[in-house]
Amino acid sequence: MKDELLRSKSDHLGKRREVDWFSLISVIGLLCFAPFIVFYFVMACDQYECSITQPVLDLYQEEATLLSIWARAPSFSWSAAKIYAIWVSFQVFLYMCFPDITHKFIPGYVGGVQEGARTPAGLINKYEINGLQCWLITHALWFANAHYFHWFSPTIIFDNWIPLLWCTNILGCAVSTFAFIKAHLFPTNAEDCKFTGNIFYNYMMGIEFNPRIGKWFDFKLFFNGRPGIVAWTLINLSYMAKQQELYGYITNSMILVNVLQAIYVLDFFWNEAWYLKTIDICHDHFGWYLGWGDCVWLPYLYTLQGLYLVYHPVQLSDAHALAVLLLGLVGYYIFRSTNHQKDLFRRTEGSCSIWGRKPTWIECTYRSADGGMHRSKLLTSGFWGVARHFNYTGDLMGSLAYCASCGFGHILPYFYIVYMTILLVHRCVRDEHRCSSKYGKDWKRYTDAVPSRLIPGVF
């Protein structure tokens, strides 16, 4: 009986999970093609004025070869490696050596030491939340350099963009490989490791749940938030500086991209403590998917709009610019308000007001890994009564606004909305499959009460 209980617990934590063929093929496909996709988009802007069809036509018409395209792309450089090493080291320094003090004088901000969600093995990790402070220090130094010190050009990121790509790939693969080896040899917590028996899946999706070095350096929190997201707004500022250098002016489209994406980044750091309760931290293990994705995919593909506008400066009409701004702001309002309603509901355990009324909910029961029975409340009021993932709907509206800032001349800037739609729809399905397994018939009661996932009456 004891052996059966241990085996059941091991299955629950994912240690004996088998990988189906579709998942295995998907993992291998991502490992092979994701780096190629990033290179393709960056190369298309560098060599083909951001056309994503012209490289294919050139190859088809034999006007170019893969080797000739590769040969024209800037290669790895030690100057870019030095820039990137300084950047990552500086973010590690801020993360590890500057405990947060901003929460002491910024009203409403939650920083400092905070607890995460309970892991599958039952642990509750503590985190040093100082992302907003790191962002503020970094950007204060950036602006001080641009206006006073002149240590380096504000266009430094754009000027080294492709050489930096090789550096980010090296770090992304290195940290993923280190996490993979660490999980086998010296895991932070062996009970929270997940082995599938398939090396490709383990490497891609991760084995350790919360790999750490020492007490505070948490791989998930650092690589999810820094260095990629802190760099996001700096990358856009570098694009803006390059546009000014090349053309002598900055377009309203570039300003819109900088403003709307800066709102998103600042929101992320303002709510970093809340982020500890999201699917990335609560359910994903740390592997290539997060390690490489945060180092390479995020900074290179989330900033495509600004890159495009360097090559194609678009000056929008006042009506177009206003429409894009409103779409972005309304999307952000829905995204933030939806998340705020859930957070308020959880903090007060339902003793609050949502849209001027007492909230309604579905009470669910579930069994934890240790066999204990627990209860949860699933909110059905406010935006959570409109759709089960209406925060994603707001996120998608904001994503569309970034793309629409670039006009309609090329497809490339619209990759982001296509990718985010696929990502968030997949996340909806994955999250709901997990909830259905967790809550059983109570989940059916909830979906009957809130039938739509993202768009009421459509999906």
Side-chain angles (χ1 to χ4, degrees):
M1 177 64 72
K2 182 179 180 181
D3 290 342
E4 290 179 358
L5 288 173
L6 288 174
R7 189 178 301 112
S8 175
K9 183 177 180 182
S10 178
D11 290 344
H12 182 85
L13 295 179
K15 295 182 180 181
R16 295 172 55 88
R17 177 181 173 184
E18 297 295 329
V19 180
D20 60 83
W21 280 104
F22 178 78
S23 297
L24 180 58
I25 292 171
S26 300
V27 161
I28 295 175
L30 281 172
L31 284 169
C32 294
F33 290 107
F36 169 77
I37 291 171
V38 176
F39 174 78
Y40 186 84
F41 278 108
V42 175
M43 174 275 301
C45 280
D46 183 59
Q47 299 182 28
Y48 291 92
E49 295 294 315
C50 294
S51 171
I52 60 175
T53 56
Q54 194 59 46
V56 177
L57 290 175
D58 278 7
L59 290 172
Y60 176 76
Q61 296 168 357
E62 299 183 350
E63 294 181 8
T65 64
L66 291 175
L67 287 178
S68 68
I69 292 173
W70 178 268
R72 292 197 299 267
S75 60
F76 172 87
S77 72
W78 286 108
S79 61
K82 182 172 69 173
I83 293 168
Y84 194 62
I86 292 172
W87 166 251
V88 176
S89 299
F90 181 60
Q91 291 307 310
V92 171
F93 175 69
L94 292 179
Y95 175 65
M96 292 296 295
C97 301
F98 279 77
D100 186 74
I101 61 171
T102 54
H103 68 281
K104 296 181 179 180
F105 58 86
I106 299 181
Y109 173 64
V110 178
V113 178
Q114 299 292 327
E115 290 186 346
R118 188 180 301 274
T119 71
L123 296 179
I124 298 179
N125 291 310
K126 291 186 177 181
Y127 299 82
E128 175 64 50
I129 300 299
N130 62 357
L132 180 63
Q133 179 174 274
C134 294
W135 189 93
L136 290 170
I137 293 172
T138 301
H139 285 70
L141 290 174
W142 176 274
F143 282 107
N145 168 76
H147 295 285
Y148 300 105
F149 301 123
H150 307 294
W151 294 322
F152 54 83
S153 170
T155 65
I156 188 172
I157 300 176
F158 178 88
D159 295 338
N160 293 275
W161 197 224
I162 299 181
L164 284 169
L165 175 60
W166 310 128
C167 301
T168 59
N169 271 280
I170 291 170
L171 178 62
C173 291
V175 73
S176 304
T177 303
F178 176 78
F180 180 78
I181 296 171
K182 178 181 179 299
H184 284 87
L185 300 181
F186 49 99
T188 303
N189 178 33
E191 287 299 310
D192 272 325
C193 288
K194 177 181 68 177
F195 297 92
T196 67
N198 186 283
I199 188 171
F200 294 107
Y201 192 91
N202 288 345
Y203 183 73
M204 173 74 173
M205 302 309 297
I207 297 172
E208 274 204 83
F209 193 69
N210 289 110
R212 290 188 167 201
I213 294 178
K215 183 178 180 181
W216 294 110
F217 189 85
D218 185 90
F219 279 60
K220 264 193 200 175
L221 185 63
F222 179 78
F223 285 100
N224 269 329
R226 283 91 70 178
I229 296 185
V230 172
W232 188 344
T233 38
L234 292 184
I235 293 166
N236 282 340
L237 289 171
S238 186
Y239 291 155
M240 181 184 288
K242 193 65 180 181
Q243 194 182 70
Q244 174 70 44
E245 178 186 283
L246 290 175
Y247 309 108
Y249 61 90
I250 298 171
T251 61
N252 59 1
S253 54
M254 180 67 85
I255 294 172
L256 277 173
V257 167
N258 271 262
V259 169
L260 291 176
Q261 293 188 351
I263 291 173
Y264 181 90
V265 170
L266 277 171
D267 177 88
F268 174 86
F269 287 120
W270 182 269
N271 295 283
E272 192 175 18
W274 165 84
Y275 182 69
L276 298 178
K277 307 295 171 57
T278 63
I279 192 170
D280 290 346
I281 300 294
C282 293
H283 303 291
D284 288 342
H285 290 243
F286 188 87
W288 190 87
Y289 176 77
L290 289 180
W292 180 89
D294 290 326
C295 289
V296 183
W297 187 272
L298 188 156
Y300 274 83
L301 295 190
Y302 285 25
T303 62
L304 279 177
Q305 291 76 36
L307 181 64
Y308 171 84
L309 291 171
V310 173
Y311 292 93
H312 295 276
V314 175
Q315 184 67 24
L316 303 174
S317 68
D318 291 344
H320 188 161
L322 180 60
V324 168
L325 180 62
L326 288 176
L327 176 64
L329 293 179
V330 170
Y332 171 73
Y333 172 78
I334 292 174
F335 170 77
R336 177 45 44 214
S337 297
T338 306
N339 287 327
H340 173 71
Q341 287 176 359
K342 177 186 278 189
D343 182 59
L344 177 65
F345 177 75
R346 284 177 173 173
R347 283 189 291 105
T348 63
E349 297 184 351
S351 300
C352 60
S353 175
I354 295 178
W355 287 358
R357 299 178 182 177
K358 184 177 180 180
T360 59
W361 63 83
I362 301 292
E363 188 163 297
C364 305
T365 59
Y366 67 95
R367 187 181 299 275
S368 61
D370 59 7
M373 293 298 295
H374 304 272
R375 294 181 180 274
S376 288
K377 296 176 180 178
L378 301 181
L379 181 62
T380 58
S381 290
F383 284 120
W384 295 98
V386 177
R388 301 195 293 271
H389 303 275
F390 208 58
N391 53 332
Y392 292 169
T393 305
D395 204 356
L396 289 173
M397 291 172 66
S399 301
L400 180 59
Y402 308 159
C403 302
S405 298
C406 299
F408 307 104
H410 282 76
I411 300 173
L412 181 138
Y414 288 84
F415 169 81
Y416 187 72
I417 183 62
V418 174
Y419 163 72
M420 288 300 293
T421 300
I422 295 171
L423 175 72
L424 294 180
V425 169
H426 175 261
R427 186 167 288 189
C428 281
V429 174
R430 185 166 58 127
D431 187 47
E432 296 202 354
H433 176 74
R434 181 181 57 82
C435 289
S436 179
S437 300
K438 179 178 180 179
Y439 297 124
K441 62 181 181 180
D442 289 333
W443 180 252
K444 179 65 168 58
R445 292 169 51 220
Y446 174 66
T447 57
D448 288 342
V450 187
S452 298
R453 282 179 168 137
L454 287 172
I455 305 174
V458 178
F459 176 75

